[in-house]
Amino acid sequence: WLLSAPKQQPASLQRQRQPTAANTAVTSHALLRSARPATMIFRQLFDRESCTYTYLLGDEDTMEAVLIDPVIELVDRDTELLKELGLELTYALNTHVHADHITGTGELKQRWKNCKSVLGAEGNEKALADLKMAEGDVITVGKINIETISTPGHTSGCHCYIVDTDATKMIFTGDVLLIRGCGRTDFQQGSSSDLYESIHGKVFTLPDDTIVYPAHDYKGRTMSTVGEEKKYNPRLTKSKDEFKDIMANLGLPYPAKIDVSLPANLVCGLHELMPSETKA
């Protein structure tokens, strides 16, 4: 299960690649709307310490599942829930290389031998993952299609995941778009200009009734919609220049776990792959 850095493919090939045994179920953007799930198992899980949401999506027919943004301290909880529901974990997705917690991906891969780690490709060139998803790439789990869009700004490697079902459209925004807020932009090659463009140019172009599921909330809120955030988000209803000024003056403290979390998350939480001096 040891990971190795993926080889870069020419841009011309990225749009044409077909699913293979080594690169399973990564399909083109055109297939996103061709097969939608009739039923989907969905759970929103919460980490009290980092206020991180982890999302479980499962197909009731194939009993395959994915986890989005798992937390290492809660792998036991996630494993227990998967087994109770009779699900087989096939993918562990991260919206970006997190600074506030260590991902549970590495531990999950040890428990679920067919599980593959997933990151977005753009901005994560130095990070390890089994699959690096380019803009428009789709992971298929049963009849559930999960589309990747590149949304840099909070970090240079942030990506959002879109799921479009018969019942609703949803987007998992990580730290890019929060409920009535957004992720900070003062570390990990963050850019307030890029974040504004990512949200307005990609997230806010989705239908207003698209459900927004963020990676964090600190006030007990669980979800929003694109329409709500376009109307009520106090930062993103401003002009780009006003937004950049707001972000430059947040005065937030240095993330408490960043020096531990970043090195671990660059190898998907697989501590044994880290140099000994870094682990010490």
Side-chain angles (χ1 to χ4, degrees), residues 60 91 110 112 118 124 157 166 191 221 236:
E60 286 191 342
Y91 295 104
Q110 295 187 56
W112 304 85
V118 180
N124 291 316
D166 288 328
S191 165
R221 298 164 298 196
L236 294 159

Side-chain angles (χ1 to χ4, degrees), residues 186-260:
D186 57 337
F187 60 85
Q188 289 179 264
Q189 297 78 49
S191 165
S192 56
S193 179
D194 288 348
L195 183 59
Y196 191 88
E197 292 298 329
S198 290
I199 295 173
H200 279 272
K202 293 187 177 181
V203 180
F204 281 0
T205 60
L206 296 172
D208 282 353
D209 60 355
T210 302
I211 300 175
V212 173
Y213 287 110
H216 302 281
D217 192 79
Y218 306 97
K219 295 184 178 180
R221 298 164 298 196
T222 58
M223 56 176 279
S224 183
T225 66
V226 165
E228 281 186 32
E229 295 308 312
K230 286 164 63 175
K231 186 175 182 179
Y232 299 118
N233 193 299
R235 297 178 186 176
L236 294 159
T237 50
K238 303 293 192 294
S239 70
K240 186 174 182 179
D241 286 340
E242 289 174 309
F243 176 79
K244 290 168 66 176
D245 184 64
I246 290 170
M247 299 306 291
N249 292 283
L250 291 178
L252 297 173
Y254 190 69
K257 288 190 173 183
I258 188 171
D259 293 330
V260 175

Side-chain angles (χ1 to χ4, degrees), residues 147-175:
E147 180 191 4
T148 305
I149 58 172
S150 175
T151 49
H154 169 59
T155 74
S156 60
C158 283
H159 290 70
C160 296
Y161 299 114
I162 299 172
V163 175
D164 193 355
T165 75
D166 288 328
T168 188
K169 193 183 191 86
M170 58 188 74
I171 182 168
F172 300 88
T173 54
D175 289 16

Side-chain angles (χ1 to χ4, degrees), residues 100-150:
D100 56 355
H101 68 272
I102 296 175
T103 178
T105 299
E107 179 64 27
L108 287 163
K109 278 174 60 65
Q110 295 187 56
R111 300 187 187 195
W112 304 85
K113 298 305 181 183
N114 294 322
C115 176
K116 293 184 180 296
S117 59
V118 180
L119 272 174
E122 183 179 343
N124 291 316
E125 291 79 9
K126 295 182 179 180
L128 298 182
D130 294 319
L131 299 178
K132 294 284 190 72
M133 304 294 289
E135 175 89 15
D137 279 348
V138 174
I139 282 178
T140 300
V141 179
K143 294 181 180 178
I144 303 170
N145 294 311
I146 305 172
E147 180 191 4
T148 305
I149 58 172
S150 175

